[in-house]
Amino acid sequence: MRRLRHALLPALLAACSGTSGDTTATDSTTQTESTQTATTQEPPATGSETQGSTTSVEPTTASPTTTLEPTTGDTTTVNTATGDTTTGDTTASDTTAVSSATGDTSTGDTSTGDTTTGDTTASDTTSTGTDTGTSTDTGTSTGVIGDCTPGDSQTCYGGPDGTDGVGKCMAGEQQCDPDGTWGPCEGEVLPQPESCETPGDEDCNGVDPCAGDGVYKWHKVFGGTGDERGVRVAFDGAGALVLAAQGTSTIDFGGGPLQSAGNWDLFLAKFAPDGAHLWSQRFGDASGQFGDGWALAVSPAGDIVVGGAFTGNLDLGGGPLVNQSIADGFLAKFTADGAHVWSKAFKAGSFVVPEALALGADGSIHFVGGFRGGLDLGGGWLVPPSQDHDAFVGKFTAAGAHVWSLHYGDITYQYAHGVAVDAAGNSYVGGTFQGTMDPGNGPMISAGQGDAYLVKFDPIGNAVWAQRYGDAQHQVITGVTIAPSGRVSVTGTFGGEMDLGGGPIFGHSFAAQFEGSGAHRWSKPLGSGIAYPTAIAADGLGSLFVVGHFIGGADFGGGLFMSQGDLDVFALKLGPDGEHVWSRRFGDFNAQMGLGATGSKTGAVAMSGGFQGSINLGGGPATSKGSWDGFVVVFDP
């Protein structure tokens, strides 16, 4: 678990120097040992050299791309009508004459845009003065002159049956105009898409998903005699869940056992919204793959992109990728059904540790992490000024073609841990750095052991703004996400005090939100105690989901939790303004870790991780079969 050693456990040792208990499993690969040495013993900041970023730009190829919905947050659209209105062949006779026109009448549904045209014959017909309530035009009459008596009034409602008086929906009133026709419906409130940015039940279905308590929905635990963990997880637009896991022995997700080839392997699995197994696959050889560096993103349409580090040979379905250093990086794309689309490797001078992926609305892929000794993402060699870590950021088309790549850092330590992309294609990258780093708009200097940072890049890789947060102790942003509002949220850990723009906060972990301009919106410590948030995700309603692990006592806003001995998992739901919605603790006296987080467009959330001993995620206790077993769990809003 290099990632946890380099980003989380050093902070644990610093904050809890008297705490005992082995909280990690020992990785066996050369890559992991090398990474441990480099990342747990960070050299002191010298500030003696300043190194600007190097950008490699390559024109986008003419390869076809897929246009996708943004991953920073899906929205739910609710029709304000119950159905389409269809006009068919009609003949009326022997009634009071009003019209004798015969012709084609086109009637459209103003909610869906569907239109049905039929031949209509009207002879001596009169208006009935009624409205079926199945279209979005308001009122209860056809609006024909003579329908009403001037001065009369009546209630009106144009929403679907059963929604009037439910949630925020309410009927209005309309007046009869002097010409004898009903006027517009005034004051009615029709169903709207749900949003946690405003209180209440906007879609008028009787449930406010923003005020729920995180009801357990389903979970899976998996593993064999070795080490297995669920490291990343993501919803698609239909509510299906994709899991990326690592393992050294056997995993059965529900489709039959998948056996590791001998070391860390990559496992992918997909589950239906109710938890039913859809498909699962394993990738790797006897060397280590996916042991260090994990990244996963899923588009609303279900396309899957996974990235990581590997040694040996890795065949993801398009032929073997061959490692040429201590550990090279890879990216691969799969269809919603798990079929290979493309895969590629990235040579490192020493090793590369990918950390996060995000997808743009156009399907573009934004890829971040850290590396040593050089890295080629497809646009030329990125050369760090020393053998310590530099951060990298790369952008690719949906077809995998290199668009641009850059790195930043000096002779000390820099890392990118999180990335998110807004609707306009700007990317936001967060991490930690020592010494001096220049992402492209001027140098920033760390105040001490390591500062947190957040950078906004425009769609062509220019740094729009960059901000540094920290004091003489260590601060790190571990996760970045974007809500449907376009606001950027982060989580991480810190020592000492930290000012993210709203004044100093104190504690050990934090969450914060910024406007796309970088302006501070809110920031807060994540309760009392020593907690290590590893991931943050926004759901489609604007709420935030933070996962990680903690030791000792921690109060995230819903009451004090006590870990049962070693690290316990926590899950925390926050509202758009950072307010506590609900929180959970999972674990026993052994070690458990929360590693991945995702939110759905309807407000459901999911997390993944690993556990020793036993864990009860809501569906009953489960016991690890080996050193570590993996888990994934889903909660309704």
Side-chain angles (χ1 to χ4, degrees):
M1 292 296 293
R2 187 240 18 105
R3 169 186 171 85
L4 299 170
R5 288 198 296 270
H6 90 254
L8 303 177
L9 294 185
L12 170 60
L13 294 175
C16 308
S17 58
T19 303
S20 64
D22 183 10
T23 64
T24 63
T26 302
D27 296 344
S28 59
T29 65
T30 302
Q31 170 196 359
T32 302
E33 295 300 324
S34 300
T35 309
Q36 177 185 15
T37 302
T39 59
T40 59
Q41 300 179 2
E42 298 173 359
T46 64
S48 59
E49 292 191 30
T50 300
Q51 179 69 30
S53 65
T54 302
T55 305
S56 307
V57 180
E58 176 176 296
T60 304
T61 68
S63 302
T65 60
T66 303
T67 301
L68 304 174
E69 297 290 335
T71 61
T72 57
D74 298 320
T75 59
T76 303
T77 302
V78 180
N79 279 340
T80 58
T82 60
D84 299 336
T85 301
T86 303
T87 302
D89 294 332
T90 305
T91 303
S93 62
D94 296 331
T95 57
T96 303
V98 174
S99 172
S100 59
T102 302
D104 289 334
T105 301
S106 176
T107 301
D109 184 308
T110 60
S111 172
T112 65
D114 295 335
T115 302
T116 302
T117 302
D119 288 330
T120 303
T121 303
S123 176
D124 299 333
T125 58
T126 191
S127 170
T128 62
T130 60
D131 190 313
T132 62
T134 59
S135 73
T136 57
D137 67 15
T138 59
T140 58
S141 94
T142 59
V144 176
I145 295 175
D147 275 349
C148 58
T149 302
D152 286 353
S153 64
Q154 65 179 12
T155 59
C156 52
Y157 184 71
D161 291 342
T163 60
D164 182 11
V166 178
K168 300 178 80 170
C169 290
M170 57 184 291
E173 185 173 299
Q174 61 185 167
Q175 303 292 325
C176 185
D177 292 338
D179 62 357
T181 62
W182 288 111
C185 189
E186 303 286 351
E188 69 174 345
V189 178
L190 301 177
Q192 300 295 322
E194 288 285 2
S195 172
C196 293
E197 299 283 345
T198 56
D201 174 16
E202 288 101 335
D203 67 0
C204 307
N205 67 349
V207 177
D208 183 359
C210 306
D213 56 1
V215 176
Y216 164 85
K217 188 173 184 181
W218 61 265
H219 81 278
K220 303 284 184 182
V221 295
F222 50 88
T225 57
D227 288 339
E228 284 75 41
R229 300 170 185 86
V231 294
R232 292 290 183 266
V233 65
F235 282 113
D236 67 14
L241 190 68
V242 178
L243 170 71
Q246 59 174 196
T248 63
S249 56
T250 301
I251 298 179
D252 187 344
F253 296 105
L258 301 172
Q259 176 65 49
S260 165
N263 206 314
W264 295 111
D265 279 4
L266 163 65
F267 296 79
L268 287 177
K270 186 173 181 179
F271 304 95
D274 63 357
H277 173 271
L278 296 177
W279 55 260
S280 50
Q281 300 183 65
R282 182 204 64 84
F283 308 95
D285 67 0
S287 299
Q289 294 84 27
F290 220 55
D292 288 308
W294 325 305
L296 175 73
V298 178
S299 76
D303 294 312
I304 300 163
V305 181
V306 62
F310 75 102
T311 61
N313 295 338
L314 177 63
D315 190 342
L316 293 152
L321 305 176
V322 180
N323 172 61
Q324 303 179 64
S325 62
I326 295 176
D328 287 345
F330 72 88
L331 271 179
K333 184 173 183 178
F334 300 87
T335 68
D337 295 327
H340 174 271
V341 179
W342 54 258
S343 52
K344 56 174 34 181
F346 307 112
K347 180 175 174 14
S350 180
F351 61 82
V352 59
V353 184
E355 292 281 355
L357 276 169
L359 304 182
D362 59 353
S364 59
I365 299 163
H366 302 251
F367 191 35
V368 304
F371 70 100
R372 291 181 68 177
L375 177 66
D376 187 355
L377 292 172
W381 199 246
L382 304 177
V383 182
S386 74
Q387 283 299 305
D388 214 324
H389 290 80
D390 264 19
F392 74 83
V393 184
K395 180 178 178 179
F396 304 84
T397 68
H402 174 272
V403 179
W404 54 262
S405 53
L406 57 83
H407 73 109
Y408 44 86
D410 66 357
I411 61 173
T412 54
Y413 176 96
Q414 295 80 28
Y415 231 92
H417 291 297
V419 62
V421 184
D422 66 19
N426 302 296
S427 54
Y428 301 81
V429 179
T432 187
F433 77 104
Q434 293 178 330
T436 301
M437 62 167 266
D438 184 351
N441 62 339
M444 297 189 296
I445 300 174
S446 168
Q449 296 179 29
D451 284 2
Y453 72 86
L454 184 64
V455 182
K456 178 179 181 178
F457 295 99
D458 69 15
I460 61 173
N462 297 314
V464 178
W465 52 258
Q467 299 179 156
R468 177 196 67 82
Y469 315 99
D471 63 3
Q473 298 192 47
H474 192 264
Q475 295 82 24
V476 55
I477 287 175
T478 56
V480 183
T481 190
I482 289 185
S485 63
R487 298 184 181 114
V488 183
S489 299
V490 301
T491 192
T493 60
F494 70 104
E497 68 177 55
M498 190 174 188
D499 189 344
L500 290 139
I505 60 174
F506 303 88
H508 187 269
S509 57
F510 67 90
Q513 189 173 88
F514 305 90
E515 302 291 350
S517 64
H520 173 272
R521 188 164 184 264
W522 57 261
S523 53
K524 61 182 292 184
L526 292 182
S528 62
I530 300 172
Y532 302 91
T534 57
I536 185 171
D539 65 23
L541 309 180
S543 295
L544 302 171
F545 186 51
V546 184
V547 307
H549 32 273
F550 73 101
I551 192 166
D555 186 344
F556 298 100
L560 181 65
F561 293 137
M562 294 297 299
S563 68
Q564 300 302 296
D566 209 315
L567 294 170
D568 278 8
V569 173
F570 76 84
L572 170 64
K573 191 79 173 281
L574 299 174
D577 294 322
E579 69 275 17
H580 175 273
V581 179
W582 57 261
S583 50
R584 299 277 191 279
R585 180 202 68 83
F586 309 95
D588 67 357
F589 60 89
N590 291 287
Q592 295 84 26
M593 297 180 179
L595 299 175
T598 185
S600 77
K601 69 179 184 180
T602 61
V605 294
M607 72 171 176
S608 61
F611 72 101
Q612 295 178 322
S614 64
I615 194 169
N616 188 342
L617 296 161
T623 302
S624 170
K625 299 176 184 177
S627 176
W628 286 85
D629 275 11
F631 71 82
V632 60
V633 58
V634 177
F635 303 96
D636 276 335

